[in-house]
Amino acid sequence: MDIETAKRNAAQRAVAEHFDASARYIGIGSGTTIVYVVEAITQLGVDTAAIRFVPTGYQSRQNILAYGLTPIAFDSLPPGTLMEVAFDGADEIDEDLNCIKGGGACLYQEKLVATHARKFVCVADHRKLQHRLLSQWPSVPIEVEPLAASVVLTALRALGSTDPKVRTGPMSKAGPLKTDQGNFIIDAPFQTLLLPQDKGATEPGHGKGWEVETLAKEIKLIEGVLSVGIFCGENGLEAAQAGRKTGGQKPIAAYFGMEDGGVVVRTAGSKGISTQEVPVK
């Protein structure tokens, strides 16, 4: 089965299980997989006239408009509002539902939308399904203030990144790629990231491998870093249980379209992460 069909299968399953026709606000992420999420929403045949869809960037907004839905900018949401659900893709997702995002350079807006949704749901194909982050995806994307790029690069090398680089645009002679906010993206390679249960995860970095959350926090402390492309910590349901007024960085569920036409679903629950295989129809 081709990759695009796998993406579509995952999107249809995610929308069937998490789209809420009574929602007022729904987040829509960036990338090729999310095109199929918007397509699946319109194929439900429900009235979406009262729903406003919050994009994570220019491409995302164009996708919303192309399917006849109504976009609303994040900063136009009423104060204190949480979206009912946000759908987005990921570059890699581990067995604890930590994600790497930012390969499409919409990093900051993607994290902004994810952390202001009651539920964040990831949709991807089987290539993104991994036991640990940085198993296949080569680096951590980091959105930085352009003036601080050289300072951030130096600090990343000190944390053990082997060859961090400012990402260039499609035409390298045009210089660094810029995000919708006018920032740079640095791609920082690290060793495969560890989970708390892994041996050595309590001994951060420098040849031993970083634990996911520890590395994310260390990078965020660097002056000039706006957002780190590691989505970790609480999910939206855990944030609500803790009484927080925001959502969480981690998805509550991730849907992976498989080569055989089935869908693998990883879901966060009170007893940890469960994995379900939905067979081919």
Side-chain angles (χ1 to χ4, degrees):
M1 173 173 291
D2 67 88
I3 290 295
E4 297 308 310
T5 302
K7 292 177 182 179
R8 179 178 275 115
N9 290 343
Q12 290 176 344
R13 187 79 188 185
V15 168
E17 296 187 357
H18 292 283
F19 178 78
D20 181 358
S22 66
R24 293 181 61 201
Y25 303 103
I26 291 177
I28 298 294
S30 313
T32 57
T33 305
I34 300 305
V35 173
Y36 299 119
V37 168
V38 179
E39 175 189 78
I41 290 171
T42 59
Q43 289 176 344
L44 290 174
V46 301
D47 184 3
T48 59
I51 303 176
R52 298 296 176 263
F53 294 85
V54 184
T56 58
Y58 176 81
Q59 179 259 355
S60 174
R61 184 176 186 276
Q62 295 306 114
N63 186 26
I64 292 167
L65 289 170
Y67 279 91
L69 304 177
T70 305
I72 181 174
F74 179 86
D75 58 2
S76 294
L77 291 172
T81 296
L82 288 182
M83 289 161 266
E84 278 75 8
V85 62
F87 297 96
D88 206 348
D91 301 312
E92 204 166 56
I93 305 171
D94 72 15
E95 63 184 35
D96 275 5
L97 290 175
N98 300 299
C99 305
I100 287 182
K101 293 174 54 56
C106 296
L107 173 53
Y108 176 62
Q109 290 193 64
E110 288 176 343
K111 188 163 279 192
L112 202 58
V113 168
T115 56
H116 287 80
R118 291 186 174 88
K119 298 191 301 179
F120 168 35
V121 175
C122 262
V123 185
D125 63 74
H126 54 87
R127 298 172 300 175
K128 314 302 175 63
L129 175 63
Q130 301 293 334
H131 292 295
R132 299 290 183 271
L133 296 183
L134 298 184
S135 293
Q136 296 296 325
W137 192 259
S139 56
V140 178
I142 304 159
E143 188 160 345
V144 304
E145 162 61 41
L147 187 64
S150 62
V151 172
V152 176
L153 288 168
T154 298
L156 289 168
R157 293 187 192 100
L159 292 177
S161 180
T162 50
D163 188 21
K165 292 182 178 179
V166 175
R167 190 183 301 176
T168 57
M171 296 179 62
S172 58
K173 66 180 181 181
L177 178 147
K178 288 194 175 183
T179 69
D180 285 358
Q181 284 70 49
N183 296 314
F184 290 173
I185 295 286
I186 288 177
D187 294 306
F190 284 92
Q191 293 184 44
T192 300
L193 301 184
L194 305 177
L195 295 177
Q197 63 267 32
D198 292 331
K199 183 178 180 180
T202 57
E203 303 174 17
H206 307 294
K208 298 181 180 295
W210 284 95
E211 187 273 328
V212 172
E213 283 195 56
T214 304
L215 179 61
K217 289 175 182 177
E218 286 291 327
I219 295 174
K220 189 65 172 69
L221 289 173
I222 300 171
E223 192 66 41
V225 169
L226 177 63
S227 194
V228 182
I230 299 172
F231 285 53
C232 60
E234 292 180 326
N235 63 43
L237 299 180
E238 291 167 338
Q241 290 169 359
R244 305 191 213 293
K245 303 300 182 183
T246 62
Q249 292 186 24
K250 282 170 69 171
I252 63 158
Y255 291 74
F256 304 91
M258 306 305 289
E259 290 179 286
D260 64 359
V263 177
V264 167
V265 185
R266 280 183 180 165
T267 306
S270 58
K271 297 182 178 180
I273 308 298
S274 63
T275 301
Q276 173 191 10
E277 293 190 27
V278 181
V280 183
K281 292 184 179 179

